[in-house]
């Protein structure tokens, strides 16, 4: 990958989980905040950034829906993945106590991952564009009845006090991010035991048992499919696109055969990326 800006785009304000993921994985790059996921994609496509760090799924909240619609037609490629344990802090204006809180602000996924503390206290959950943006809102509004659920970095950036630490419902709260680039990065297996992930989307042909037949090659060739999701496209219930992650490199003989069989029973197959698995992937699978 040729770096021209040394910037990596993410959705949200400084201090968001995506910002932290950028800093963790690419400490020498400059994080570029974007208001929406689409803005982050555009920043990469236009050359305003060299990479983008995009959350794609969470162990508690599930998939990040927008991404599965934006990625296939973006012309961008996945070149890496990053797994980050998510910890949310309940933060308020300095001096505010819990009994003063009336509303808790955060990203919809964060609110979904911290339901217990919100319900237990009878607070009203208010959806914000992102976690750090919620912390920024609390800071700028100056209303003592408002609290935010955000990463610890956001409290430091926006001058808030942490009232309760690690308030997520489950300890096993992990978000998987994908790293996007404008061009695919050629990669090859360095060691025999390297775990490589290939991500692709496909549309099966309109014939009986097409999906069963299309996926048969992965079973007969011993391919571990770690994700398969479907979603509607084109505003029609009959137009379905599938998103899949498998372990293996397209040049591996068994995966090559499986992809050939998939293509035979599909109208369209597009490989979105081939990249090394993050070390945490194996731990989460056990």
């Amino acid at each position: 990958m040729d770096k021209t800006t040394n910037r990596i785009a993410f959705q949200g304000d400084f201090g968001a989980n995506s910002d932290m993921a950028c800093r963790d994985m690419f400490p020498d790059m400059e994080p570029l905040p974007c208001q929406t996921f689409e803005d982050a994609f555009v920043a990469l496509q236009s050359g305003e950034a060299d990479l983008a760090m995009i959350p794609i799924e969470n162990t508690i909240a599930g998939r990040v829906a927008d991404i599965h619609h934006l990625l296939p037609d973006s012309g961008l490629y996945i070149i890496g993945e990053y797994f980050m344990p998510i910890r949310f802090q309940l933060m308020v204006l300095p001096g505010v106590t819990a009994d003063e809180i009336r509303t808790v602000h955060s990203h919809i996924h964060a609110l979904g991952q911290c339901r217990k503390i919100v319900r237990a206290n009878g607070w009203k959950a208010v959806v914000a564009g992102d976690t750090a943006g919620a912390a920024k809102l609390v800071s700028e509004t100056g209303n003592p009845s408002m609290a935010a659920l955000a990463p610890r970095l956001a409290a430091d950036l926006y001058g808030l006090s942490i009232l309760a630490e690690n308030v997520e419902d489950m300890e096993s709260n992990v978000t998987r991010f994908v790293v996007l680039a404008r061009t695919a990065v050629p990669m090859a297996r360095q060691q025999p035991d390297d775990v490589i992930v290939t991500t692709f989307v496909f549309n099966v042909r309109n014939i009986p048992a097409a999906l069963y037949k299309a996926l048969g090659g992965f079973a007969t060739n011993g391919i571990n499919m770690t994700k398969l999701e479907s979603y509607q496209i084109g505003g029609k219930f009959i137009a379905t696109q599938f998103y899949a992650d498998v372990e293996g490199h397209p040049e591996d003989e068994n995966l090559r055969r499986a992809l050939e069989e998939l293509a035979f029973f599909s109208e369209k197959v597009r490989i979105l990326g081939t990249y090394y698995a993050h070390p945490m992937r194996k731990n989460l699978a056990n």
Side-chain angles (χ1 to χ4, degrees):
M1 182 196 68
D2 295 327
K3 291 185 178 181
T4 56
T5 69
N6 202 44
R7 288 196 291 262
I8 178 168
F10 71 94
Q11 186 273 328
D13 282 302
F14 287 119
N17 283 311
S18 294
D19 179 22
M20 294 174 61
C22 292
R23 296 170 191 249
D24 289 348
M25 193 170 184
F26 300 98
D28 295 330
M29 296 188 72
E30 176 189 353
L32 175 67
C34 300
Q35 185 173 0
T36 66
F37 288 123
E38 190 169 6
D39 290 339
F41 275 66
V42 170
L44 177 55
Q45 291 165 330
S46 67
E48 188 179 357
D50 297 324
L51 299 174
M53 179 73 74
I54 303 294
I56 197 165
E57 58 189 321
N58 176 269
T59 52
I60 297 176
R63 75 184 185 188
V64 181
D66 287 354
I67 308 308
H68 292 74
H69 292 285
L70 291 171
L71 185 54
D73 297 323
S74 67
L76 303 176
Y77 295 88
I78 302 174
I79 64 167
E81 67 176 3
Y82 183 70
F83 286 74
M84 187 171 78
I86 302 299
R87 301 290 179 258
F88 289 111
Q89 321 304 321
L90 179 70
M91 53 192 69
V92 293
L93 293 169
V96 170
T97 59
D99 58 2
E100 296 178 78
I101 298 174
R102 297 293 180 269
T103 59
V104 179
H105 302 250
S106 198
H107 187 271
I108 187 169
H109 279 281
L111 293 171
Q113 294 162 32
C114 303
R115 288 190 179 95
K116 291 181 181 179
I117 189 172
V118 175
R119 288 180 177 177
N121 289 279
W123 298 327
K124 179 182 178 181
V126 181
V127 176
D130 68 281
T131 54
K136 184 178 180 181
L137 176 67
V138 171
S139 177
E140 292 179 346
T141 302
N143 185 339
S145 70
M146 296 171 59
L149 291 167
R152 187 177 301 274
L153 177 61
D156 296 335
L157 290 175
Y158 301 114
L160 300 179
S161 298
I162 294 177
L163 204 59
E165 298 182 330
N166 302 338
V167 297
E168 60 277 355
D169 293 346
M170 298 173 61
E171 290 185 6
S172 57
N173 184 11
V174 177
T175 291
R176 176 190 175 215
F177 294 83
V178 290
V179 181
L180 304 182
R182 287 186 295 276
T183 58
V185 176
M187 56 89 65
R189 194 184 302 277
Q190 301 296 319
Q191 302 293 333
D193 59 349
D194 283 343
V195 180
I196 293 174
V197 179
T198 295
T199 297
F200 55 91
V201 290
F202 64 98
N203 302 65
V204 295
R205 293 164 56 193
N206 188 21
I207 58 175
L211 180 60
Y212 174 81
K213 295 173 182 176
L215 297 179
F218 295 95
T220 56
N221 286 284
I223 301 297
N224 184 23
M225 180 171 286
T226 59
K227 175 172 289 294
L228 177 65
E229 294 186 337
S230 64
Y231 49 100
Q232 312 309 128
I233 57 175
K236 299 178 180 179
F237 286 111
I238 60 172
T240 303
Q241 184 160 260
F242 294 89
Y243 173 101
D245 291 336
V246 298
E247 292 185 358
H249 193 291
E251 294 179 359
D252 296 342
E253 183 64 22
N254 57 345
L255 183 51
R256 183 186 63 78
R257 290 195 299 264
L259 290 172
E260 286 177 354
E261 192 164 336
L262 173 68
F264 183 80
F265 292 104
S266 300
E267 294 180 348
K268 179 177 67 174
V269 178
R270 185 198 166 200
I271 293 180
L272 299 177
T274 298
Y275 45 95
Y276 289 110
H278 188 270
M280 195 178 291
R281 173 181 280 270
K282 183 177 181 181
N283 296 334
L284 291 174
N286 295 332

